[in-house]
Amino acid sequence: MNLSGYRWMWVIALFDLPVDSKEARRDYARFRKALIQDGFMQMQYSVYLRHASSRENAEVHMQRVARAVPPEGEVRVLAITDKQYERMRVFWGRY
């Protein structure tokens, strides 16, 4: 992904991890804790994000996520520009 020329970035981690055993729940908790310790905040149940000051900084955080991935499950990491993040549309259901 070529993100050169963009200064402010958002790093988004999306994941689907098993929690069907004690070990899997422990791996999930470790992964989530690693995200939080790296400055990610919860956006939705399995979606965490953090702001990055540059493309290079975004890459550092993406590599940290990669190192924390548990042995099972799926993790995706996406870096988008501030401008792209601003275009996000949020819809709320009726209560």
Side-chain angles (χ1 to χ4, degrees), residues 11-17 27-51 60-70 74-78:
V11 180
I12 304 170
L14 309 102
F15 55 94
D16 186 14
L17 302 177
D27 289 341
Y28 172 91
R30 284 185 191 137
F31 179 72
R32 184 179 174 279
K33 184 176 181 179
L35 290 176
I36 292 168
Q37 287 177 337
D38 192 37
F40 282 80
M41 56 189 160
Q42 188 174 24
M43 183 178 187
Q44 291 184 346
Y45 183 67
S46 293
V47 180
Y48 283 68
L49 80 156
R50 69 155 291 136
H51 200 256
V60 167
H61 294 292
M62 293 172 81
Q63 290 303 318
R64 287 181 185 164
V65 171
R67 287 193 300 270
V69 172
E74 180 179 337
V75 177
R76 296 172 186 235
V77 184
L78 173 69

Side-chain angles (χ1 to χ4, degrees), residues 2-14:
N2 183 0
L3 300 172
S4 60
Y6 294 104
R7 182 176 169 144
W8 304 107
M9 307 289 300
W10 287 93
V11 180
I12 304 170
L14 309 102

